[in-house]
Amino acid sequence: MAANFETSQNKGSDAIYDVCCSVCEEDSVYKEGLFNCQKYSKSFCNECVNVHKKLLKDHSVSAKDKCSSWPVNKKVNDSLELCQEHSTEKLTMFYEDHEKLLCQLCLFYNNHRQCSHVVLLSGKCKSSTHHMNVAEIASRIEQFQKRLAETMNRSEQNMKSLQTSYDTILEEIVDFRRQINGRLGRLQQNTIHELDMLHSSLRNSLEDECKQCETFISKNKVHDCKSIKSPENSFILHRKYLDQTASAELFLRNVTTNAAIEFQYNKDLENFLAACTDLGKITSRVGVVSHRHGDPNKVISVQGKSQFNVKINKDTHNCLINGICEMPNGNLVIADEHNRRVKLLHQAKNVIMHVKLPSQPWSMCNISPNEVAVTVSDCKSLNEIHFLRVDTGKIITI
């Protein structure tokens, strides 16, 4: 991806090349034109100028750094002037309230016809006191593209790291499930062992009862009453019956009437598993990379300062700024205590949006890339926190 990004830069970027090589451009390859042939009105890169000098030795070729008048690549200018939303229309107007460039279609189809601060670009440039250094802008864009390229490379590395962490966590989840299976298996083995022990104990008891019954049956023989005729034999039979039935009666009173096994599952375990929705919590660890690197203990020296007027027509007092936050796009959000307002400043430091607060704002801070929190108090009964979101040049109360 980094290679593709570099290629796309080389194939044409008005921020890098003011003039492209005419020969390379015919092959859809955009290299910087460093030499110019006045007779042919063509520009050449380092490679193509050598071929041109060999074939046309009588043509005068001027280097870019030694030429007072240097041509401008019309293709770059044409693309620069086109509207990003309506690619066939040129930008001709400027909407001052939202700091937005407009073409004719933007004006009629994007609900800007009722806007009162739309001016022509020609008039805006004449009335503007802000000096625009093209070389400085090009340098800033080049630096910004470099930051984007670094961010993209970092994002590619993060994607690899993300995939590695995903694979690791997936393996941990499977391993944790395996551990749970092992622990449940041990619980199952322990429970089955208890079942086997109880079953064996009850079976042995029943087998002993059967043996006792066999013994009593063998001792209590049934005699033929017709063969017993003497009183002595009748007495002997009576005494044996009483002796043997006494111990048998005691045995029968303690004999097992119903042998069965029941199972009551662990309700605590069931309730715990029912309450669980996952094997663990999956969270992200995302950090925002700051592009402002430096020694936090370094002494800062002021190299220059600028003054900007942030007062608007609706302000009735002098501005007192007691809070300031920077948005990701470079815009500033400021808290004006005396006028009870929060104001949004464009990068050019002019106010493009403002909101009225019920009382004086005392302090302000970022709570997300596009949101700020403002404390409001009148030192009596009002003590509030207002949350504001900055979106597409607007301040929205949350």
Side-chain angles (χ1 to χ4, degrees), residues 42-59:
K42 290 188 178 292
S43 301
F44 303 98
C45 62
N46 280 322
E47 292 80 5
C48 295
V49 71
N50 295 327
V51 180
H52 180 77
K53 287 180 179 179
K54 289 181 180 180
L55 297 178
L56 302 169
K57 297 181 180 180
D58 58 331
H59 286 204

Side-chain angles (χ1 to χ4, degrees), residues 30 57 196 267 272:
Y30 302 105
K57 297 181 180 180
D196 292 340
K267 291 186 178 180
F272 175 77

Side-chain angles (χ1 to χ4, degrees), residues 246-304:
S247 58
E249 282 289 347
L250 181 62
F251 166 74
L252 290 174
R253 289 195 203 104
N254 298 320
V255 75
T256 303
T257 58
N258 183 21
I261 301 175
E262 294 180 350
F263 174 67
Q264 295 180 352
Y265 55 85
N266 190 333
K267 291 186 178 180
D268 292 336
L269 180 60
E270 182 196 27
N271 293 335
F272 175 77
L273 292 177
C276 293
T277 58
D278 46 47
L279 293 179
K281 296 299 180 184
I282 304 296
T283 58
S284 62
R285 189 178 61 216
V286 180
V288 179
V289 179
S290 173
H291 294 282
R292 294 183 176 89
H293 303 289
D295 184 4
N297 300 317
K298 182 180 179 180
V299 178
I300 299 175
S301 60
V302 179
Q303 298 180 350

Side-chain angles (χ1 to χ4, degrees), residues 3 30 59 103 121 131 155 173 249 305 318 352 362 372 398:
Y30 302 105
H59 286 204
C103 69
L121 284 179
H131 178 65
S155 297
I173 292 173
E249 282 289 347
K305 67 177 183 179
N318 291 331
I352 59 175
W362 284 81
V372 296
I398 302 176

Side-chain angles (χ1 to χ4, degrees), residues 93 102-113 118:
M93 289 161 287
L102 305 175
C103 69
Q104 292 287 345
L105 295 181
C106 291
L107 182 65
F108 288 100
Y109 295 107
N110 290 11
N111 297 323
H112 291 293
R113 283 175 290 180
V118 176

